[in-house]
């Protein structure tokens, strides 16, 4: 299995802050990396696919970068509705695996 | 607009069989890939398996011996059957569509998959 490791596991930030979340794969996955946002009691919501492509309808303050084994999700200016947990997921292998999540909390 | 909706029992006894159905509206299951994912309480997501538009299946090796995914194109539904349920299978179960598309990334482009539409999830508790 390809292991996905996110860091940090949680962070506290204020509205307007720039936030960066890292995701590392245990082996190279090209750009086969997706990012999801999940709020309590809700299903995951796709933000970024193929490492850097913004899903339709997602605000442009979200961006993704990286390739190979190291990836980053950036929120350029944190908004109140962005407080949630973020997950990376690899699709390079037919066995999809997810990171353990990064919880973004209000400072 | 594409919607997917899980249905099934909220409570299953240990050793029994879980059967869940995902109803799809706004798209045909004869296209795309259709997935089951679960999330135990307070934990991360585990991909269970998928069925393709051609009916081929792919399972998580850790669950493969207990899981069957099938599709009913006449009802535009796909289903999950999991045998020998234990308390460790208590989780929210989601169905989701996966898109596979070619993108002009890097030097030559490539195919990428992502799950773009998810159901709201259904909570399954395994308890006697």
């Amino acid at each position: 299995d390809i292991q996905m490791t996110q860091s940090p596991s949680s962070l506290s930030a204020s509205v307007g802050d720039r936030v960066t979340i890292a995701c590392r794969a245990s082996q190279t996955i090209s750009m086969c990396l997706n990012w999801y946002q999940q709020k309590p009691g809700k299903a995951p919501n796709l933000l970024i696919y193929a490492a850097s492509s913004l899903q339709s309808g997602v605000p442009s303050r979200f961006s993704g970068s990286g390739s190979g084994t190291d990836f980053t999700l950036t929120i350029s200016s944190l908004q109140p509705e962005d407080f949630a947990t973020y997950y990376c997921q690899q699709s390079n292998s037919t066995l999809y695996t997810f990171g353990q999540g990064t919880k973004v909390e209000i400072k | 607009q594409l919607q997917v909706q899980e249905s099934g029992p909220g409570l299953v006894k240990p050793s029994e069989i879980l059967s869940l159905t995902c109803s799809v509206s706004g798209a045909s299951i004869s296209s795309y890939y259709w997935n089951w994912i679960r999330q135990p309480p307070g934990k991360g997501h585990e991909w269970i398996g998928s069925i393709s538009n051609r009916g081929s299946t792919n399972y998580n090796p850790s669950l493969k011996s207990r899981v069957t995914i099938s599709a009913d194109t006449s009802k535009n539904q796909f289903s999950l059957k999991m045998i020998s349920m234990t308390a460790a299978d208590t989780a929210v179960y989601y169905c989701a569509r996966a898109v596979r598309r070619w993108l002009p990334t890097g030097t030559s482009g490539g195919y990428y998959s992502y799950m773009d539409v998810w159901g709201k999830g259904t909570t399954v508790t395994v308890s006697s």
Side-chain angles (χ1 to χ4, degrees):
Chain A
D1 301 5
I2 299 175
Q3 307 301 318
M4 307 300 295
T5 303
Q6 289 182 233
S7 60
S9 56
S10 66
L11 64 90
S12 295
S14 301
V15 173
D17 283 354
R18 181 181 182 89
V19 169
T20 299
I21 298 169
C23 177
R24 173 165 288 178
S26 61
Q27 63 190 73
T28 184
I29 57 170
S30 182
M31 295 178 67
C32 299
L33 191 284
N34 307 313
W35 289 98
Y36 300 87
Q37 176 194 69
Q38 188 173 26
K39 296 181 179 179
K42 302 293 186 181
N45 180 46
L46 177 69
L47 300 174
I48 301 286
Y49 61 92
S52 60
S53 295
L54 189 67
Q55 171 67 349
S56 176
V58 173
S60 59
R61 62 180 179 274
F62 291 94
S63 64
S65 64
S67 66
T69 59
D70 292 302
F71 301 86
T72 300
L73 173 71
T74 299
I75 309 173
S76 60
S77 177
L78 197 65
Q79 297 302 300
E81 60 268 30
D82 300 337
F83 291 96
T85 302
Y86 294 84
Y87 296 91
C88 60
Q89 174 249 325
Q90 65 79 23
S91 58
N92 186 70
S93 163
T94 51
L95 170 52
Y96 295 164
T97 50
F98 292 80
Q100 81 281 13
T102 296
K103 187 173 184 179
V104 176
E105 299 175 300
I106 301 172
K107 193 171 188 177
Chain B
Q1 183 179 357
L2 174 64
Q3 290 185 315
V4 296
Q5 178 69 57
E6 308 87 353
S7 60
L11 181 64
V12 177
K13 289 183 168 57
S15 79
E16 290 192 343
I17 298 171
L18 171 67
S19 293
L20 296 177
T21 296
C22 182
S23 299
V24 178
S25 59
S28 170
I29 64 167
S30 297
S31 301
Y32 305 105
Y33 292 77
W34 303 93
N35 296 261
W36 288 100
I37 307 99
R38 69 180 182 178
Q39 185 176 26
K43 296 186 178 180
H45 302 86
E46 180 177 36
W47 178 79
I48 298 170
S50 67
I51 187 164
S52 76
N53 57 326
R54 297 183 179 185
S56 61
T57 53
N58 188 27
Y59 300 119
N60 188 323
S62 69
L63 297 169
K64 187 173 184 177
S65 64
R66 299 168 52 215
V67 168
T68 303
I69 296 175
S70 59
D72 184 338
T73 54
S74 67
K75 294 182 179 179
N76 216 39
Q77 296 175 336
F78 65 104
S79 300
L80 170 71
K81 185 176 82 170
M82 185 178 293
I83 66 171
S84 305
M85 296 287 284
T86 71
D89 297 312
T90 293
V92 178
Y93 286 73
Y94 297 98
C95 61
R97 180 181 78 168
V99 173
R100 175 174 162 82
R101 60 185 287 199
W102 187 89
L103 294 169
T105 57
T107 56
S108 59
Y111 281 94
Y112 297 88
S113 297
Y114 49 90
M115 292 180 283
D116 65 336
V117 178
W118 294 61
K120 294 180 179 179
T122 186
T123 299
V124 175
T125 301
V126 183
S127 175
S128 55

